[in-house]
Amino acid sequence: MAPVVGLGQVSELVGRERDLEALEGVVLGTAGGPRAARIVGEPGIGKTRLLREVLERAGDRGDLTLSGRGAEFEQELPFGVVVDALDDYLGSLSVARLGKLGEERAAELAAVFPALSAYAPEGGAPMALQAERYRAHRAVRALLERLAGEGTLVLALDDMHWADEASLELVAHLLRHPPETNVALLLAYRPAQLQAGLAGALQAAEREGTLVTVEPAPLSEDEARRLLAARGVEKRLERFFRESGGNPFYLEQLARAGADSPAAQPASGTDGGVPAGVLAVIDGEVGALSPEGRALLHGAAVAGEPFELDLAAPAAGLDDARALATIDELLAADLARPTDVPRRFRFRHPIVRRAVYESLGEGWRIAAHTRVADALADRGAHAAVRAHHVERAATPGDEAAIAVLTEAGLGASARAPATAARWLDAALRLLPDNAPAERRLGLLVPLATALGSAGRLEESRDALWQVLSALPPEATEMRGRVAAFIGRIDHPLGRHGEGRATIADALGQLEHSRSREAVALTIELAADDFFLTDFESMRRRAAEALDAARELDDPLLTAAAAAHLGMACQNLGLLPETLEASGEAARLLDALPDDACAAQLEAFWWLGWCEQAVERFADSIRHLQRGIDLARATGQGYNFVTLLISLSVPLVFVGRLAEAREISDEAIDAALLSGNEQFVAWAYMVRCFLSVRAGDTADAIRHGEAAADIVSRLRENVFSGLANAHLGSAYLEAGDAERALAQLRLADERGAPTEESVRTWWEELTARAELAAGNLDEAERWAAQGLESAERLGAPARRGWARIAAGAVRLARGDADQASELALRAADDCLASGDRLGAARAWILAGRALAAAGRTDDAVQRLERARAELAAAGADRYADQAAHELRRLGKRVTRVGRRGAAGEGVGALSEREREVAELVAEGRTNREIAAELFLSEKTVENHLARIFRKLGVSKRAAVAGAIGREATPAGS
């Protein structure tokens, strides 16, 4: 049996049969069901006992079982819960067992687990962007898959309400991206104390059916009698049951003291409702110890959970010999329990440790933390390990403490920014009042950065305001840079326009109104105009900044100003001016070496976004990717997230769907880690766009709905209506025209069509939605308007999509010749910009129109080309549409789409079921289908029964309707 680490021995498990059955189903992966579970309840209700029982049963089957738990007073140790679970086991493994993880993953793991420090590259692990800490999460996920191997790994994490921020982020990642091998994740926590980020991930996992929730109930009186049967307390059972509220731990603690148990108020059933009688029992147990026993227990409460005897002893003021003699007393009293690691122990229950720790006098506690910090320093412990105790013992002006906390904060910033912020803030508070401004700034700047990366943008903004107040009056240039950065933070916070006064004030204090600092501030004001949808003001400010930057002969500032000017002109529909400005920005940035670009990385975002809007897709990809690379190289996580989110868009346009999906996955992870809802909404919108183009309508709707939900809670800005427009496009592709129209109208109300490039897309979508709803006149009107907007914009691919909509309207009116002409011109338009997916969708429409016009050979040629192009790009659903049209023309083709992927709808049909369903849709009888596919009629009947079940229908006509909706492009 594999060992169960760290959960301690406990009494008989009573009244938990249904809870155990649910947890066993998760561990065994019953019927391919969820492989994650949460055990939720008040302290003492039996969460830990359930975990231990499940782990013991798994160990008896030969599964690998690992467990860790959060500790109430050590919540800032990075990855503490996960390290507690895995580190000792990892230290026991051979290099071969951990091999094949790759150098990059090994370096990430070495930065997380002390036992794997040997895997760190020479010179230490490279500093990662704080925004990219999902790389560590992915490395841990790969590690868990490796540990599971061909068997099963059960990872149990207890007391997650006390977990550190880095562990919470990692667990949220595992819930969103479950390991692909047999890894069961069991989490236990008190719900009222759980951090919101993990709570959201748990709720999402439960909604998606990947998580089981277990909520142990209080024991009944009969179950309480069974639990305490061997304690000889039958006469006092009624009282104990009443006072405990049926809580198993409280029952046992009251029974420990028997007749001497003091009366108490009933348990309140909340996290803070530990009955006074239970606390009195623990206090009595501690009071019964010898003086040295009490001292060691007190030292253990300070040393940590679990505690090492080598740290508990100095905390207690005991030498090693006396500590070794005394630990047996704590074990005999069952106040402490051994773990599987020599000289490491745990308290009987977190409530016991809390009661002991809080009973300590403040002076004794401070002195004990000092002794532990000194002991750790003597053994050469890392600053991150010492910081917890140093913070609790330091006095203002303590230079050694400031140095430790600063080192710990800077070291944790990449992978645990929330912890880094805590240490840096603690160091800042310890600075003497007369510390020079430069020294205070040296802590405030990384503190603001860490807070921002931890998603605490408001606090980051406050820290930057402190930076402003700490700057001497003569530091006008630095003041301008800080004011500009505050303005950048305001955008994802939705506080557009709020920082303008600060920027304007900083601008007014500059000695030279056309200096480099003045140009940078003017550019920031232009950016603010964009988010306020004042594109004319943005154009004026950007032009002013561009003139000044040219006078200064500063190529980087000139490029930044030109990129902003290009975006402003694009939004105003001024194509020649857009191309001129964006072209100038591109030439300048392309000529600059990497090390000269760090001060204006935002220019790559503005330029890349402008270029994709005017369909310079290859240039957009190149500039966005270079911006991402430079953000990584210079540690600018803020720019990294926005650049990464944007890169998927031009990749989708040129048909690089697999690459776009990989980038989108990273962008969503980075956005979620940013803690900023605006970033998350942007990432979800882009994913919706990608999935619509790829034909994954379920994924498109899921992300589109999530984006719309987030945006509905945010302040209005230039992107507000975009979420509704993207969701409308997803509904349209799924065949729900009415819901699509509702979202597109809402997008219009919220200003989505304000940007010129967005307007053409929105009008084309509206045309196709009106057509799908049967409103031919409205569809024709919107198609004509969309084509007019696209012509004005001068963007060939957008003109191509407008022509697709117009062609679909003509086909619906019976004008096959004009429909085919529009579709073929649309394909040429799309190809002119490199939009191969758009061209392929146009060829499908052309094939349908040409077939309707009797030009079968031409139709087949276009459809075969469309099918090949879409299949190569991975747009399987649309490739299947082309195949369906080919079959209607008598061509035998196999379906290329995913088999049985979604679990519902047409996408759930196997390849053979899909063939049968399509023949049903063509009106074939079972006998005709059997002859066509060389099957028996009985086999066809069996296939048809499964098709009915998967589609949720009972008639052949309904099967034909489902196939028709799947095969016909929305709005066609």
Side-chain angles (χ1 to χ4, degrees):
M1 168 180 163
V4 177
V5 180
L7 292 181
Q9 68 272 21
V10 284
S11 59
E12 180 188 0
L13 188 65
V14 172
R16 300 293 185 230
E17 291 78 11
R18 293 183 64 181
D19 296 336
L20 272 174
E21 182 181 356
L23 294 172
E24 281 280 86
V26 170
V27 171
L28 295 170
T30 304
R35 299 307 300 265
R38 57 176 172 177
I39 309 172
V40 183
E42 65 180 20
I45 199 65
K47 303 182 294 296
T48 300
R49 182 66 184 88
L50 271 170
L51 282 179
R52 180 173 182 85
E53 183 69 22
V54 172
L55 292 175
E56 286 182 345
R57 293 185 181 190
D60 288 342
R61 290 192 294 269
D63 297 339
L64 173 61
T65 63
L66 300 171
S67 66
R69 69 191 306 172
E72 183 174 11
F73 304 113
E74 290 83 28
Q75 296 179 43
E76 69 286 343
L77 297 177
F79 296 101
V81 179
V82 183
V83 170
D84 185 34
L86 273 72
D87 201 57
D88 290 325
Y89 181 73
L90 294 176
S92 70
L93 299 180
S94 66
V95 173
R97 180 75 187 276
L98 292 173
K100 299 181 181 179
L101 285 171
E103 290 184 9
E104 183 179 332
R105 283 177 175 167
E108 290 288 350
L109 294 171
V112 174
F113 299 105
L116 300 183
S117 58
Y119 286 83
E122 192 173 339
M127 284 297 291
L129 273 179
Q130 293 168 328
E132 286 190 284
R133 53 192 188 277
Y134 60 82
R135 292 184 179 276
H137 306 160
R138 293 181 175 194
V140 173
R141 178 176 176 268
L143 172 66
L144 296 177
E145 292 172 343
R146 182 75 177 167
L147 293 178
E150 299 298 320
T152 295
L153 165 63
V154 186
L155 176 61
L157 302 178
D158 198 3
D159 289 334
M160 285 298 294
H161 50 279
W162 288 329
D164 61 281
E165 190 81 19
S167 292
L168 292 171
E169 290 180 348
L170 170 59
V171 170
H173 177 89
L174 294 174
L175 290 168
R176 291 193 303 271
H177 307 285
E180 294 182 359
T181 54
N182 293 331
V183 178
L185 178 64
L186 309 180
L187 309 169
Y189 61 89
R190 305 175 192 174
Q193 295 175 246
L194 191 67
Q195 189 250 24
L198 180 58
L202 288 162
Q203 291 166 4
E206 188 171 50
R207 283 195 306 270
E208 293 172 10
T210 59
L211 175 83
V212 169
T213 298
V214 172
E215 298 184 68
L219 300 180
S220 67
E221 190 167 354
D222 285 342
E223 290 167 339
R225 183 173 289 105
R226 285 169 51 199
L227 180 68
L228 302 181
R231 302 293 183 96
V233 294
E234 181 65 29
K235 293 181 180 180
R236 292 175 296 281
L237 179 64
E238 183 178 346
R239 172 191 150 199
F240 291 166
F241 181 74
R242 183 180 66 253
E243 293 176 3
S244 69
N247 182 296
F249 176 76
Y250 299 165
L251 273 167
E252 291 189 310
Q253 302 317 296
L254 294 170
R256 292 175 76 89
D260 298 327
S261 175
Q265 296 298 316
S268 68
T270 67
D271 285 349
V274 180
V278 172
L279 296 177
V281 168
I282 295 171
D283 187 57
E285 290 181 89
V286 176
L289 296 172
S290 68
E292 288 190 340
R294 284 196 300 276
L296 185 59
L297 193 68
H298 292 166
V302 170
E305 175 68 346
F307 64 88
E308 295 182 34
L309 192 60
D310 296 337
L311 295 177
L318 300 175
D319 60 31
D320 189 60
R322 284 192 296 166
L324 283 170
T326 307
I327 188 65
D328 289 335
E329 182 183 359
L330 303 186
L331 297 174
D334 196 28
L335 287 163
R337 292 171 175 173
T339 69
D340 295 305
V341 179
R343 300 175 72 89
R344 185 183 297 172
F345 305 88
R346 285 192 183 275
F347 281 83
R348 180 173 76 229
H349 193 279
I351 290 174
V352 176
R353 187 206 178 187
R354 181 179 184 183
V356 172
Y357 188 85
E358 293 188 347
S359 71
L360 302 176
E362 185 64 22
W364 196 95
R365 190 157 48 202
I366 291 172
H369 277 296
T370 300
R371 290 190 289 270
V372 174
D374 292 342
L376 287 169
D378 289 343
R379 66 162 74 168
H382 191 275
V385 178
R386 297 159 59 194
H388 165 71
H389 298 283
V390 168
E391 182 195 18
R392 285 159 174 77
T395 57
D398 185 337
E399 291 294 344
I402 293 170
V404 169
L405 292 167
T406 301
E407 181 184 349
L410 296 177
S413 62
R415 293 172 180 84
T419 294
R422 172 169 178 154
W423 297 144
L424 292 167
D425 185 56
L428 193 62
R429 285 185 277 106
L430 292 177
L431 283 180
D433 293 339
N434 61 351
E438 293 78 9
R439 190 173 183 198
R440 194 169 299 276
L441 286 170
L443 290 172
L444 277 170
V445 172
L447 172 61
T449 303
L451 287 168
S453 296
R456 292 152 61 181
L457 290 181
E458 290 283 2
E459 294 175 69
S460 176
R461 192 176 188 271
D462 291 343
L464 287 169
W465 276 103
Q466 291 184 54
V467 172
L468 273 182
S469 63
L471 286 170
E474 64 274 13
T476 55
E477 295 179 2
M478 175 65 78
R479 187 177 300 277
R481 287 199 291 272
V482 175
F485 196 74
I486 290 174
R488 291 170 201 161
I489 287 181
D490 280 344
H491 300 319
L493 282 172
R495 302 174 67 159
H496 313 299
E498 291 188 22
R500 295 174 78 88
T502 305
I503 297 172
D505 181 61
L507 191 56
Q509 292 183 29
L510 292 174
E511 184 176 352
H512 301 291
S513 62
R514 294 174 75 83
S515 64
R516 286 178 171 80
E517 290 72 27
V519 172
L521 289 170
T522 304
I523 290 172
E524 192 55 46
L525 288 173
D528 206 45
D529 287 329
F530 170 80
F531 287 98
L532 293 170
T533 66
D534 190 346
F535 302 130
E536 186 55 50
S537 178
M538 181 186 186
R539 186 178 69 84
R540 289 195 304 270
R541 292 187 195 277
E544 176 188 341
L546 182 58
D547 287 342
R550 286 169 176 164
E551 287 178 15
L552 292 166
D553 195 24
D554 186 319
L556 180 59
L557 277 178
T558 303
H564 282 74
L565 179 59
M567 181 64 94
C569 292
Q570 182 273 131
N571 285 309
L572 292 168
L574 304 173
L575 180 62
E577 294 88 339
T578 301
L579 296 176
E580 180 181 353
S582 61
E584 180 177 7
R587 287 190 299 274
L588 289 169
L589 287 177
D590 290 346
L592 285 171
D594 287 351
D595 58 5
C597 296
Q600 285 289 339
L601 283 192
E602 295 89 350
F604 288 95
W605 183 81
W606 292 102
L607 176 59
W609 195 252
C610 180
E611 286 172 328
Q612 73 81 20
V614 294
E615 299 182 1
R616 303 296 191 265
F617 298 127
D619 292 336
S620 176
I621 291 168
R622 179 165 53 84
H623 289 127
L624 290 171
Q625 184 61 64
R626 187 179 178 207
I628 290 168
D629 294 341
L630 288 173
R632 285 188 172 120
T634 58
Q636 296 189 46
Y638 172 86
N639 289 308
F640 171 81
V641 178
T642 53
L643 287 159
L644 194 66
I645 290 171
S646 303
L647 180 57
S648 289
V649 176
L651 287 172
V652 169
F653 270 110
V654 298
R656 291 159 61 178
L657 295 182
E659 189 177 348
R661 183 174 293 274
E662 183 178 344
I663 294 293
S664 176
D665 285 341
E666 290 192 41
I668 289 172
D669 283 341
L672 287 167
L673 288 175
S674 77
N676 179 256
E677 287 195 308
Q678 184 70 77
F679 283 175
V680 177
W682 291 346
Y684 284 165
M685 286 184 224
V686 170
R687 179 53 166 263
C688 178
F689 170 74
L690 158 63
S691 296
V692 164
R693 283 299 189 99
D696 189 347
T697 54
D699 190 69
I701 290 172
R702 181 167 62 252
H703 286 96
E705 289 178 339
D709 177 62
I710 293 172
V711 167
S712 69
R713 303 192 298 268
L714 301 177
R715 299 183 190 182
E716 295 287 322
N717 63 52
V718 68
F719 294 118
S720 294
L722 272 178
N724 304 106
H726 281 294
L727 180 55
S729 74
Y731 287 147
L732 178 60
E733 294 302 318
D736 194 336
E738 293 303 325
R739 292 175 80 186
L741 280 171
Q743 289 297 321
L744 291 170
R745 289 165 185 154
L746 185 56
D748 188 24
E749 292 171 12
R750 304 189 72 184
T754 303
E755 296 178 75
E756 194 69 22
S757 61
V758 173
R759 171 167 288 281
T760 61
W761 169 64
W762 175 80
E763 289 168 343
E764 169 257 319
L765 286 175
T766 303
R768 290 198 290 126
E770 293 285 9
L771 177 60
N775 306 323
L776 275 179
D777 290 342
E778 280 296 291
E780 190 162 36
R781 182 173 71 85
W782 282 111
Q785 193 164 320
L787 192 53
E788 180 183 336
S789 296
E791 292 282 8
R792 184 171 60 251
L793 182 65
R798 286 170 174 82
R799 184 173 61 233
W801 281 87
R803 282 186 169 139
I804 291 173
V809 172
R810 298 317 307 162
L811 185 60
R813 289 200 182 278
D815 189 347
D817 288 331
Q818 189 174 2
S820 63
E821 181 183 347
L822 283 166
L824 291 172
R825 291 180 67 188
D828 290 341
D829 283 334
C830 290
L831 287 176
S833 279
D835 181 6
R836 306 193 69 82
L837 291 179
R841 296 285 296 276
W843 287 325
I844 292 177
L845 176 62
R848 295 176 63 236
L850 289 165
R855 298 165 58 185
T856 302
D857 290 344
D858 289 341
V860 168
Q861 180 186 359
R862 297 300 190 279
L863 289 167
E864 286 180 338
R865 187 174 180 186
R867 181 173 178 270
E869 192 73 54
L870 291 162
D876 293 342
R877 178 171 180 262
Y878 301 121
D880 287 339
Q881 287 181 357
H884 175 78
E885 296 297 334
L886 285 166
R887 291 191 193 97
R888 291 178 62 180
L889 297 176
K891 292 290 181 179
R892 287 294 304 274
V893 290
T894 58
R895 182 171 181 259
V896 299
R898 288 168 290 179
R899 281 53 163 172
E904 61 179 5
V906 174
L909 302 181
S910 68
E911 182 174 341
R912 177 62 80 184
E913 289 164 354
R914 175 63 182 251
E915 287 181 306
V916 171
E918 288 179 346
L919 291 171
V920 168
E922 293 175 11
R924 308 286 191 91
T925 66
N926 284 4
R927 177 174 296 181
E928 289 170 335
I929 295 171
E932 174 79 12
L933 301 179
F934 303 101
L935 302 173
S936 69
E937 286 189 56
K938 182 64 175 176
T939 300
V940 172
E941 290 173 6
N942 291 337
H943 281 310
L944 196 55
R946 287 193 292 272
I947 291 166
F948 284 163
R949 185 174 64 253
K950 289 183 179 182
L951 297 182
V953 301
S954 58
K955 297 181 179 179
R956 298 170 76 94
V959 173
I963 291 295
R965 287 191 298 274
E966 167 78 3
T968 304
S972 299

